[in-house]
């Protein structure tokens, strides 16, 4: 292994340029040198070189303490040395070693290097001071390896950097003093054994109390110097520090006081001081071993900190400005890797296998469009054109279709499926739940059957007059009987069935297509990105259409779903009404029930979404049953109620849905699992219990279940005891109807990474990046695209660390490693 002397050389040159004022590197040269030397000496195999490095070190002294003249001498001697040593490292180092200008005592004081075989991916128990019981506590926080610990960032920092003298102290603010302990003793304060001390500096004295911490009295020996950080209050007209953070003034960096002090997320049994101390040690020792995987050009062009520096500054920042820079670097990494990931995936999808170019079957398509019970909207026409253009290409389509709830995505997808069938390919339509699969089967069969059809026993044969052979559409879900299922699977693999509708089980279990040409995935955010690659593993590169009603701002969509091209249906079919939305107080429940009763009297139907129960689907189901019984017996005993929850057998669910759709039920009581996609135009009331516990986009989904017909519809939101944030959400959903606007609000209200539950969707976690940070998103995206154009498979030697990192954060991909 060779030493990378480049960073050292660069920094020393900069220091030289800046006139030896110790400003070349944040945190000062000393820290950098310590860490760099530690790393360099670890990695070299050339003993002579090693020896020279030792001699050049500023041992047990510091650059900071040298005079300008001494600094100059030292910097130049090291630069000379590097210039000679660098090209020949690894050979018989002939470089002459100039004597370091300043004589300093020997003995290297640098962080002790890890033992052989230990790296930042070793378990945290390799860290001195981390016992297995402490490790267990960290594991609970998701921290297993040294790397996890380095990326275990504080929730925030306390600003203890405002140093004051005692005479300058004022109440209320976070302030820091350095003072002498005059005396400290155990005292009883408010009946609690506590510590009370008097400390002073050249401007005066101040009283300090620590409630409940009598043991401190012994540690604060008279005449020691300590740093105190915290708030000052007024007690009997005099200043007093109340339970401040403290530490002794020693020859080391401050950890708990006098600076920006990190506050870590804690778990039971982890104490703040303990974690801070440990983190400091870990960062000093290990941060410099993190390989900076970003190509130099990217770093320079985007003006980003080095990775080790960013990591250490994110924990123990010099000041707010550097902390912000650190965050930018770390957030950039996340977004950049995300971009590279999705770009690689797209390339892989499109280049993996040749796709199936369809030819435009205009006759068939025209017949279909003419047969529809409505006119397509302009937006639907536009999107259909985009799809058809893709479908005619030899590269497999990879497209995200976004469209507000009720905008009519299904019919567009159906047209695409018809194109596949007309070209002799099979099409698969995948829904997130069986209920939805059934509903789509009904809808799609209906839409297709308006041209000409024969109803077979189990199948629907359509387009018998127009296509060479009649189309066959089938529903395949988990709960049908085994004999029928096996028969269906057989017919799918024989190529006998043209369009098959089901859940994602379609692409997972035992289903072999004969010639799959198009896969449609409804409601992507429920689906998980990984399932897409399941298709390819079956040996297909079908055209892929992913549909979602979650409105995603464009930049975001490009980032999160950058592997997909984007189409948007940005228009609702004519005649849709605004759904009147009201947030009701618990006391208004009875009048809400009365309202439902009046709607039912007018032949309308209503949904009631059960209170949200966190735990398991089983418990949710039980709660739903209870609510259903209560409503049937106590509230609506004279009306026809149905119950729908995830634990019911599919036949049962199907029966209930059919009855509701057919108007045989007045009210459908359902768990939140059924929020997506259900289409019953006669339903005009959506009542949501515990509405305060749903996110904006979910509430919007619920609301989208009504207002699908011509009638005025209503959404009633009940909230028991909403928090402040929940109240803000309820206010917003009352006022805003537009899904995109809601999505923006949602982004604003929620924290980073939460918006899409990136973990769920198979995307890497975002910790530092805020999805609302559009500028950084765009920067990361454009840099990723640039890099991707030069070296799409990251084969160049300078991109190898990046390829490695990408494979690490996207383990499920495995496609570019
Ligand atoms: P989503 O985009 O939420 O999946 P759907 O495809 O379920 O929406 O369509 C919602 C409703 O609108 C359905 O009842 C569908 O038949 C109807 N629809 C779709 N397109 C039109 C249109 N152009 N004009 C009128 N109604 C339409
Ligand atoms: Mg839909």
């Amino acid at each position: 292994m060779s030493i990378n002397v480049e960073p050292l050389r660069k920094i020393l040159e900069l220091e030289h340029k800046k006139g030896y004022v110790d400003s070349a590197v944040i945190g000062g040269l000393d820290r950098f040198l310590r860490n760099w030397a530690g790393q360099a000496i670890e990695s070299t195999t050339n003993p002579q070189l090693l020896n020279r490095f030792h001699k050049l070190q500023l041992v047990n002294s510091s650059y900071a303490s040298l005079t300008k003249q001494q600094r100059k001498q030292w910097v130049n001697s090291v630069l000379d040395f590097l210039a000679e040593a660098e090209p020949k490292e690894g050979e018989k180092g002939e470089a002459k070693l100039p004597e370091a200008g300043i004589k300093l005592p020997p003995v290297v004081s640098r962080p002790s290097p890890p033992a052989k075989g230990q790296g930042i991916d070793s378990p945290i128990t390799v860290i001195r001071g981390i016992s297995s019981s402490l490790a267990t506590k960290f594991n609970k926080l998701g921290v297993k390896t040294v790397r996890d610990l380095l990326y275990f960032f504080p929730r925030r920092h306390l600003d203890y950097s405002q140093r004051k003298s005692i005479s300058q102290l004022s109440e209320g603010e976070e302030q820091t003093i350095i003072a002498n302990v005059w005396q400290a003793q155990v005292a009883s304060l408010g009946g609690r054994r506590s510590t009370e001390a008097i400390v002073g500096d050249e401007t005066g004295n101040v009283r300090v109390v620590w409630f409940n911490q009598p043991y401190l009295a012994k540690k604060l020996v008279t005449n020691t110097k300590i740093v105190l950080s915290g708030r000052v209050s007024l007690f009997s007209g005099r200043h007093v520090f109340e339970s401040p953070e403290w530490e002794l003034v020693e020859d080391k960096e401050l950890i708990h006081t006098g600076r920006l002090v990190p506050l870590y997320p804690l778990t039971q049994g982890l104490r703040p001081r303990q974690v801070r101390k440990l983190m400091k040690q870990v960062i000093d020792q290990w941060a410099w071993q993190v390989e900076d995987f970003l190509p130099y050009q990217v770093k320079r062009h985007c003006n980003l900190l080095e990775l080790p520096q960013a990591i250490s500054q994110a924990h123990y920042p010099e000041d707010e400005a550097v902390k912000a820079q650190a965050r930018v670097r770390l957030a950039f990494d996340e977004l950049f890797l995300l971009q590279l990931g999705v770009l690689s995936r797209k390339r892989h999808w499109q280049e993996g296998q040749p796709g199936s170019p369809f030819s435009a079957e205009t006759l068939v398509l025209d017949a279909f469009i003419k047969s529809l019970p409505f006119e397509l909207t302009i937006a639907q026409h536009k999107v259909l054109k985009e799809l058809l253009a893709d479908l005619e290409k030899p590269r497999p389509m990879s497209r995200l279709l976004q469209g507000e709830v009720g905008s009519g995505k299904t019919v567009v997808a159906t047209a695409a499926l018809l194109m596949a069938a007309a070209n002799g390919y099979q099409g698969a339509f995948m829904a997130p739940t069986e209920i939805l699969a059934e509903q789509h089967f009904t809808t799609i069969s209906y839409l297709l059957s308006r041209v000409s059809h024969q109803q077979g026993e189990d199948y629907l044969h359509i387009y018998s007059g127009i296509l060479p052979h009649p189309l066959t559409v089938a529903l395949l879900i988990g709960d049908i009987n085994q004999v029928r299922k096996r028969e269906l699977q057989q017919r799918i693999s024989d190529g006998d069935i043209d369009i098959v509708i089901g859940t994602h089980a379609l692409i997972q279990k035992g289903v072999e297509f004969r010639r799959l040409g198009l896969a449609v995935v409804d409601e992507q955010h429920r689906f998980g990105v990984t399932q897409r690659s399941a298709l390819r593993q079956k040996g297909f590169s079908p055209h892929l259409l992913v549909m979602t009603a979650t409105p995603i701002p464009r930049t975001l969509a490009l980032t999160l779903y950058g592997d997909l091209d984007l189409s948007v249906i940005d228009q609702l079919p004519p005649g849709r009404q605004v759904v009147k939305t009201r947030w009701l107080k618990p006391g208004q429940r009875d009048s809400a029930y009365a309202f439902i009763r009046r709607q039912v009297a007018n032949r309308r139907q209503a949904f009631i979404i059960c209170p949200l129960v966190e735990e398991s689907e089983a418990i949710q189901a039980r709660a739903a049953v209870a609510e259903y019984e209560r409503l049937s017996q106590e509230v609506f005993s004279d009306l026809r109620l149905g119950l729908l929850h995830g634990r019911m057998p599919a036949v049962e669910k199907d029966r209930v849905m059919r009855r509701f759709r057919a108007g045989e039920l007045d009210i459908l009581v359902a768990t939140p699992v059924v929020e997506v996609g259900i289409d019953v135009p006669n339903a005009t009331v959506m009542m949501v219990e515990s509405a305060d516990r749903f996110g904006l986009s979910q509430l919007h989904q619920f609301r989208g279940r009504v207002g699908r017909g011509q009638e005025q519809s209503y959404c009633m939101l009940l909230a028991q005891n909403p928090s402040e944030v929940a109240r803000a959400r309820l206010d917003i959903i009352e006022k805003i109807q537009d899904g995109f606007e809601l999505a923006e609000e949602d982004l604003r209200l929620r924290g980073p990474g939460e918006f899409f539950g990136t973990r769920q969707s198979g995307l890497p976690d975002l910790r530092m990046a805020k999805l609302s940070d559009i500028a950084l998103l765009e920067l990361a995206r454009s840099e990723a695209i640039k890099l991707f154009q030069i070296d799409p498979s990251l084969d160049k030697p300078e991109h190898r660390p990046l390829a490695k990192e990408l494979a690490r954060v996207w383990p499920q991909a495995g496609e570019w490693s």
Side-chain angles (χ1 to χ4, degrees):
M1 217 195 232
S2 71
I3 307 173
N4 184 5
V5 297
E6 208 46 15
L8 179 59
R9 197 169 58 76
K10 288 243 166 62
I11 280 169
L12 291 183
E13 277 168 359
L14 188 62
E15 180 64 12
H16 162 75
K17 236 192 282 169
K18 291 193 164 184
Y20 313 102
V21 290
D22 201 4
S23 64
V25 53
I26 295 160
L29 256 179
D30 284 307
R31 179 122 71 95
F32 173 82
L33 288 172
R34 214 166 47 232
N35 291 301
W36 184 86
Q39 195 184 12
I41 288 170
E42 254 328 275
S43 63
T44 188
T45 48
N46 179 337
Q48 285 178 336
L49 206 62
L50 194 73
N51 200 12
R52 291 171 184 186
F53 271 119
H54 275 301
K55 289 202 189 152
L56 272 175
Q57 272 178 46
L58 281 161
V59 185
N60 266 14
S61 168
S62 68
Y63 184 79
S65 68
L66 303 180
T67 65
K68 228 181 216 175
Q69 194 50 40
Q70 290 171 319
R71 288 178 181 185
K72 183 175 175 185
Q73 258 182 20
W74 183 81
V75 166
N76 288 324
S77 63
V78 177
L79 279 174
D80 288 348
F81 166 67
L82 291 178
E84 290 178 60
E86 185 182 17
K88 299 200 175 75
E89 206 272 317
E91 298 169 25
K92 265 255 159 105
E94 288 301 307
K96 264 231 202 76
L97 174 71
E99 274 304 308
I102 313 111
K103 284 277 176 264
L104 296 158
V107 191
V108 188
S109 105
R110 60 183 167 87
S112 52
K116 271 254 147 21
Q118 294 177 356
I120 63 166
D121 290 311
S122 304
I124 52 175
T125 42
V126 304
I127 294 164
R128 213 175 330 117
I130 297 197
S131 62
S132 64
S133 77
L134 188 55
T136 313
K137 289 172 190 158
F138 272 110
N139 289 350
K140 283 205 189 111
L141 293 164
V143 174
K144 305 221 162 72
T145 64
V146 177
R147 186 198 300 274
D148 293 339
L149 205 49
L150 290 172
Y151 278 82
F152 179 66
F153 295 117
R155 280 183 292 120
R156 60 192 182 91
H157 291 86
L158 287 175
D159 188 354
Y160 286 159
S161 62
Q162 299 312 310
R163 165 126 189 246
K164 295 275 170 67
S165 61
I166 288 177
S167 65
Q168 293 171 319
L169 288 175
S170 51
E171 292 144 68
E173 292 160 52
E174 310 278 15
Q175 304 165 92
T176 293
I177 57 167
I178 297 182
N180 229 28
V181 177
W182 297 133
Q183 56 159 291
Q185 62 198 24
V186 179
S188 170
L189 297 173
R192 295 174 286 176
R193 274 168 56 79
S194 307
T195 294
E196 178 175 36
I198 304 292
V199 304
D201 66 9
E202 51 305 334
T203 69
N205 297 332
V206 67
R207 197 164 81 98
V208 190
V209 294
W210 284 273
F211 297 109
N212 286 333
Q213 303 181 52
Y215 52 87
L216 281 186
K218 258 201 270 156
K219 295 195 185 174
L220 302 171
V221 178
T222 298
N223 274 329
T224 46
K225 228 180 194 165
I226 60 171
V227 194
L228 295 172
S229 286
R231 279 177 207 277
V232 172
S233 58
L234 214 53
F235 188 76
S236 311
R238 317 189 64 158
H239 282 146
V240 58
F241 258 108
E242 284 189 17
S243 300
E245 280 290 349
W246 68 278
E247 65 192 303
L248 297 177
V249 177
E250 285 168 319
D251 222 9
K252 59 181 174 63
E253 256 184 281
L254 294 174
I255 298 178
H256 311 290
T257 60
R259 60 174 307 148
L260 290 175
V261 173
L263 283 181
Y264 289 98
L266 296 173
T267 186
Q268 191 137 49
L270 287 177
R271 286 168 288 114
R273 284 177 77 91
Q274 170 197 26
V275 174
R276 276 203 289 265
K277 196 162 155 234
L278 183 75
M279 288 308 296
K280 188 71 178 66
Q281 172 205 327
V282 170
I283 287 149
D284 285 347
Q285 185 176 340
W286 293 85
W288 304 90
Q289 307 197 37
V290 177
E291 185 171 34
D292 195 340
F293 52 84
L294 271 194
Y296 173 69
Q297 286 85 343
V298 175
K299 264 184 296 196
R300 201 189 42 187
H301 186 239
C302 303
N303 209 0
L304 297 169
L305 292 189
E306 300 288 325
L307 183 54
Q309 200 187 6
I311 290 175
S312 69
Q313 291 294 325
H315 289 278
Y316 281 93
E318 304 291 325
D319 55 42
E320 289 288 352
V322 194
K323 183 178 129 187
Q325 277 180 289
R327 192 195 75 78
V328 166
R329 162 68 212 250
L330 296 164
F332 181 91
D333 285 0
E334 293 173 351
L335 297 172
F336 184 69
L337 288 165
L338 182 65
Q339 275 307 291
L340 282 180
V342 293
L343 289 172
S344 307
R345 200 159 56 188
K346 179 173 187 177
R347 185 177 83 108
H348 204 77
W349 180 257
Q350 297 194 322
E351 290 178 3
Q353 284 133 358
S356 333
F358 299 169
S359 56
E361 295 287 343
T362 324
L363 268 183
V364 180
L365 195 65
D366 285 350
F368 172 71
I369 291 174
K370 276 207 203 84
S371 77
L372 292 173
F374 43 71
E375 288 274 311
L376 291 182
T377 60
I378 294 173
Q380 283 171 317
H381 272 297
K382 178 196 71 187
V383 166
L384 186 55
K385 230 169 103 186
E386 289 166 357
L387 296 191
L388 293 173
D390 276 7
L391 294 173
E392 286 168 27
K393 287 185 193 142
R395 287 192 329 187
M397 169 169 83
S398 183
R399 193 167 278 280
L400 176 69
L401 172 52
Q402 248 187 307
E404 177 71 281
V405 187
S407 59
K409 297 183 288 292
T410 317
V411 61
V412 176
T414 307
L417 288 166
L418 181 59
M419 276 304 91
N423 276 271
Y425 287 97
Q426 291 170 295
F429 186 110
M430 290 171 276
T433 64
E434 302 211 328
I435 295 177
L436 283 173
E438 290 165 41
Q439 181 186 294
H440 280 308
F441 176 66
T442 314
T443 311
I444 292 172
S445 305
Y446 168 74
L447 291 172
L448 289 171
S449 66
R450 295 175 61 92
V451 173
S452 79
H453 74 284
Q454 305 155 8
Q455 182 82 52
E457 206 174 314
D458 280 335
Y459 311 99
L460 191 64
H461 303 292
I462 48 190
Y463 284 77
S464 38
I466 301 176
L467 292 172
H469 75 109
L471 284 192
T472 307
V473 182
L475 172 69
L476 180 62
I477 52 176
D479 272 306
I480 55 174
N481 92 43
Q482 283 304 315
V483 182
R484 170 105 190 272
K485 190 156 153 190
R486 232 167 291 131
E487 189 215 319
L488 260 176
Q489 288 174 347
Q490 185 59 47
R491 295 193 57 185
I492 291 170
S493 66
D494 289 346
D496 215 20
I497 287 175
D498 300 286
I499 295 172
V500 54
I501 295 156
T503 61
H504 54 284
L506 265 191
I507 54 163
Q508 287 169 335
K509 283 180 252 144
V511 187
E512 299 301 333
F513 287 87
R514 186 171 161 88
R515 42 173 196 283
L516 186 62
L518 168 66
V520 179
V521 181
D522 198 18
E523 303 302 348
Q524 150 80 4
H525 65 291
R526 286 277 197 98
F527 222 82
V529 187
T530 35
Q531 273 106 352
R532 282 192 241 158
S533 56
L535 274 173
R536 193 180 19 256
Q537 274 144 31
K538 292 193 160 226
F540 295 109
S541 288
H543 294 293
L544 181 67
L545 177 64
V546 176
M547 306 202 290
T548 179
T550 309
I552 314 165
R554 188 175 173 84
T555 318
L556 252 185
L558 287 175
T559 301
L560 292 175
Y561 302 119
D563 54 336
L564 303 169
D565 296 311
L566 191 58
S567 285
V568 184
I569 302 186
D570 51 5
Q571 177 182 31
L572 292 177
R576 289 286 158 77
Q577 308 220 1
V578 167
V579 177
K580 288 193 175 151
T581 306
R582 289 282 171 279
W583 158 28
L584 305 179
K585 306 277 150 16
Q588 294 172 282
R589 175 174 277 111
D590 285 340
S591 52
Y593 290 149
F595 182 80
I596 291 179
R597 197 174 275 288
R598 286 200 296 280
Q599 287 284 309
V600 172
N602 284 330
R603 302 257 178 74
R604 308 280 166 251
Q605 291 164 282
F607 293 96
I608 297 181
I609 302 298
C610 295
L612 182 63
V613 191
E614 219 71 70
E615 295 89 356
S616 65
E617 214 181 309
I619 293 174
Q620 275 210 9
R622 241 179 288 144
V625 173
E627 178 72 356
Y628 166 74
E629 277 166 5
R630 186 184 75 82
L631 290 170
S632 320
Q633 284 156 21
E634 293 168 23
V635 186
F636 298 118
S637 55
D638 52 333
L639 302 183
R640 299 167 300 171
L641 269 64
L643 169 67
L644 195 64
H645 65 70
R647 276 302 182 93
M648 283 160 50
V651 221
E652 185 63 13
K653 282 190 262 188
D654 187 36
R655 205 175 55 86
V656 173
M657 268 322 293
R658 271 177 217 277
R659 293 187 63 205
F660 190 61
R661 226 178 277 138
E664 294 165 22
L665 296 173
D666 303 312
I667 298 172
L668 186 66
V669 180
T671 52
V673 292
V674 300
E675 98 240 31
V676 191
I678 288 193
D679 185 32
V680 180
N682 192 49
T684 54
V685 185
M686 166 58 69
M687 175 168 163
V688 183
E689 292 280 356
S690 56
D692 50 323
R693 299 178 53 193
F694 295 104
L696 277 177
S697 48
Q698 216 177 353
L699 290 174
H700 186 59
Q701 279 285 342
F702 287 136
R703 178 166 64 185
R705 297 308 105 218
V706 295
R708 299 169 82 84
Q710 301 294 317
E711 304 304 324
Q712 177 60 55
S713 294
Y714 305 86
C715 177
M716 302 191 288
L717 306 170
L718 279 152
Q720 203 63 42
N721 208 346
S723 67
E724 204 167 308
V725 197
R727 274 206 291 272
R729 276 202 301 270
L730 292 166
D731 273 339
I732 288 168
I733 191 104
E734 259 193 359
K735 290 196 198 90
I736 301 178
Q737 290 279 332
D738 181 78
F740 279 85
E741 237 179 284
L742 276 178
E744 306 272 6
E745 288 293 332
D746 213 7
L747 263 181
R748 207 173 48 76
L749 288 178
R750 296 210 219 175
E754 276 178 58
F755 187 62
F756 289 101
T758 46
R759 181 163 275 163
Q760 253 182 20
S761 60
L763 296 166
D765 244 6
L766 301 179
R767 298 186 189 190
M768 283 298 203
K770 294 193 177 65
L771 293 176
S772 49
D773 191 350
I774 300 296
L776 194 64
L777 271 170
E778 274 169 1
L779 182 65
R781 182 169 158 77
S782 70
E783 287 298 315
I785 290 172
K786 223 163 41 182
L787 184 78
F788 204 73
Q789 276 162 356
I790 307 168
D791 185 13
S793 44
L794 305 180
D795 285 333
K796 299 197 171 174
E798 67 269 31
H799 297 152
R800 237 165 256 153
L802 185 58
K804 210 168 89 192
E805 182 68 7
L806 195 56
R808 200 182 62 74
V809 298
W810 285 71
Q812 78 276 27
E815 294 162 1
W816 43 76
S817 55

